[in-house]
Amino acid sequence: MIPTSRGEMPAWLAIPSAPQQVPGVVVLHDVGGMSQDHRNQAEWLAEAGFLALAVDLYYLGGILRCLRAVARDLIAHSGSTYDDVEACRSWLAAQPGCTGRIGVVGFCMGGGFALLLLSGHGFSAASINYGGKLPPDVDIFLKAACPVIGSYGAKSPYEKGVAEELELALQRALVPHDVKEYPEAGHSFMNQKEQFWFKVLRFAGIAYNEPATMDARRRIATFFHTHLGG
């Protein structure tokens, strides 16, 4: 339970097996919210050597009540959703098993949110996974950005050309980065959900892709170890 200014947020903490201090990672979920898939993202990060906290941005009432409020805050670049993530970042950094250096990783909606947290929010590295279109002011908030790793699926109808746009923007801003687009992957290629509705979305270019996922996880772990330590 993570204390926030609005109450307590239930979250999933995945702990590495090695008994030593390690960097932390805040894990931001997709539009579906807290799920076994979201917890699994924290688990593989823990196996890679990070103290990983999968947060629940819908903790005050579920997706129907909270999605609109989260979307409003992301558009405004401020609000209670940002405060909640800061509470999670601060809590994680203060844990005895954490070095105090924190990264952020997001998927789908969470990937778009991670992009907005690059500058001035206390994160030392960020992983953006198919987070939608880049905001028009991307060059402004990249001026003080932390190192960024981005992963996109070429078959996604929602991020056409975004990988190249992000690559060029990060080059202009002189931000350390690793951006890759997977030719055979679509949107949500790192999310392995068992629900029937998710499997139906394959026809819309949304599906899990094992080879792309394994490569992206390897890249993310290496990038985070490089820029977070551990």
Side-chain angles (χ1 to χ4, degrees):
M1 302 298 290
I2 311 301
T4 76
S5 61
R6 300 189 291 170
E8 290 191 320
M9 176 196 292
W12 181 267
L13 181 65
I15 303 173
S17 57
Q20 62 188 40
Q21 281 194 326
V22 296
V25 178
V26 173
V27 188
L28 304 176
H29 57 68
D30 61 14
V31 70
M34 180 62 77
S35 65
Q36 185 58 52
D37 174 74
H38 185 42
R39 292 186 285 270
N40 290 344
Q41 304 291 358
E43 292 295 339
W44 74 255
L45 282 161
E47 291 175 3
F50 303 98
L51 188 64
L53 185 70
V55 308
D56 182 4
L57 300 178
Y58 302 155
Y59 71 105
L60 289 181
I63 184 171
L64 294 180
R65 176 181 174 184
C66 299
L67 178 57
R68 181 178 298 179
V70 170
R72 181 183 62 241
D73 289 350
L74 299 192
I75 293 172
H77 294 189
S78 66
S80 297
T81 306
Y82 281 81
D83 296 339
D84 288 344
V85 170
E86 171 54 25
C88 291
R89 190 200 65 79
S90 297
W91 181 91
L92 188 59
Q95 297 310 296
C98 185
T99 62
R101 290 181 63 80
I102 308 294
V104 60
V105 57
F107 306 87
C108 184
M109 178 188 77
F113 193 7
L115 179 69
L116 300 176
L117 295 169
L118 296 181
S119 301
H121 293 281
F123 291 105
S124 299
S127 172
I128 302 160
N129 302 288
Y130 38 87
K133 299 293 186 182
L134 300 184
D137 59 345
V138 64
D139 285 318
I140 296 176
F141 69 77
L142 284 182
K143 288 183 177 180
C146 63
V148 177
I149 178 168
S151 300
Y152 295 86
K155 292 186 176 181
S156 170
Y158 313 105
E159 287 105 7
K160 292 293 185 183
V162 173
E164 182 178 7
E165 291 174 8
L166 180 59
E167 170 75 29
L168 294 174
L170 291 167
Q171 288 180 6
R172 290 193 298 271
L174 302 178
V175 174
H177 65 277
D178 170 9
V179 179
K180 184 172 181 177
E181 184 177 69
Y182 293 92
E184 299 303 317
H187 189 74
S188 294
F189 70 84
M190 294 182 71
N191 297 106
Q192 191 172 16
K193 298 176 183 285
E194 296 301 323
Q195 293 92 336
F196 174 75
W197 62 264
F198 183 78
K199 295 180 179 180
V200 170
L201 292 176
R202 177 178 296 274
F203 298 101
I206 300 174
Y208 177 71
N209 184 291
E210 180 83 9
T213 293
M214 293 300 103
D215 186 72
R217 287 182 178 182
R218 176 192 59 77
R219 291 172 45 244
I220 292 167
T222 299
F223 192 86
F224 276 4
H225 280 301
T226 298
H227 295 286
L228 299 178

